[in-house]
Amino acid sequence: MRWNLVVLAPCLAMAGCVGTSIAERQDANVQSSLQYDSVPCDQLLAQRNRLAQQYRLPQDAKPSFSDPGVGLGPFTPDTRSKAQQEVEQASGRIDAMNRSIARRECGKPAKQTRLGLPG
């Protein structure tokens, strides 16, 4: 019995490290918004809207995370369908685009400076 535990424990630990756990794949849906900072605002807004429409998501979509149980995330296999995985990846991309849009204040009127007459 003890020998089985000695062999089983490392096998379970390695099984969680191969990139197929649900926790690992859901973490990968969170993307950096910096990659979108070089995209002009109007193009980024259109790109976000198309992506949201394509996957029938709201424009303020955020990646979701399941709760497999305390400490079991790395060992829980990802049983989501391919379509569900794609929808959740799109949610992560939309969230990253929205963070870039908010940071750069896209869609807001440009701040105007007051020009005073010399007096």
Side-chain angles (χ1 to χ4, degrees):
M1 176 72 171
R2 190 172 280 209
W3 175 252
N4 289 341
L5 288 176
V6 170
V7 172
L8 185 60
C11 289
L12 286 175
M14 287 176 28
C17 298
V18 294
T20 59
S21 72
I22 192 165
E24 214 168 356
R25 289 198 176 165
Q26 286 179 331
D27 285 346
N29 291 339
V30 178
Q31 296 185 10
S32 171
S33 61
L34 297 177
Q35 64 183 321
Y36 297 107
D37 284 355
S38 61
V39 179
C41 283
D42 57 340
Q43 289 179 13
L44 185 58
L45 287 164
Q47 189 177 358
R48 184 217 39 206
N49 294 343
R50 274 193 310 272
L51 191 61
Q53 185 177 20
Q54 177 183 351
Y55 287 98
R56 295 183 178 100
L57 292 167
Q59 291 179 352
D60 61 347
K62 295 193 178 292
S64 61
F65 298 94
S66 63
D67 186 14
V70 177
L72 297 177
F75 305 109
T76 305
D78 189 359
T79 57
R80 299 172 298 157
S81 68
K82 182 79 169 159
Q84 184 61 32
Q85 289 177 17
E86 288 178 6
V87 167
E88 291 182 17
Q89 284 177 344
S91 294
R93 289 178 55 200
I94 290 170
D95 181 49
M97 290 176 188
N98 283 334
R99 285 183 275 128
S100 177
I101 289 167
R103 182 175 49 255
R104 296 187 297 152
E105 298 181 348
C106 294
K108 292 185 179 178
K111 295 179 182 175
Q112 295 184 3
T113 58
R114 284 180 126 0
L115 297 177
L117 296 174

